Amino acid sequence: MNTDRQQERPIARGIRETAQIVGLSPSFIRKAIEAGDLRSTRIGRRVLVKDADLLAWINTPSNSPSEEGQ
C-alpha cells in the first residue's frame, strides 16, 4: 500500500512553494490571496495554501487579481 507515501505529501504549502508549483511569482499569489480569489490559511505567522484551494482557484475561469473592475 502507498499509505507511507500519501502521509509524506503536504496538504498545504507556503506562498513561495505554491508559486513555484504553478509557475507564478510569489507576489502574484499574494495578490490573489489579498483579492480574495485564492483562499489561504494562517497558522501562526505562516500563510499556507491548501492543495484543494489551489486546485479550485486554478480551475476557475478567471483567476487574475488584476482584473478587478473589468
Side-chain angles (χ1 to χ4, degrees):
M1 282 181 27
N2 288 336
T3 55
D4 291 295
R5 178 111 173 133
Q6 290 172 347
Q7 290 175 350
E8 292 175 14
R9 184 172 172 228
I11 61 169
R13 305 167 201 286
I15 290 176
R16 273 191 233 134
E17 189 177 359
T18 299
Q20 186 177 22
I21 287 170
V22 295
L24 298 169
S25 69
S27 63
F28 189 90
I29 298 297
R30 282 187 192 93
K31 287 178 186 177
I33 291 170
E34 289 171 8
D37 297 330
L38 175 58
R39 291 183 60 178
S40 66
T41 301
R42 182 175 290 275
I43 298 177
R45 295 177 64 187
R46 295 239 13 225
V47 176
L48 302 173
V49 177
K50 295 178 186 175
D51 284 353
D53 293 332
L54 180 60
L55 288 172
W57 179 66
I58 289 172
N59 290 322
T60 58
S62 173
N63 53 18
S64 174
S66 62
E67 293 183 8
E68 293 178 12
Q70 290 184 5

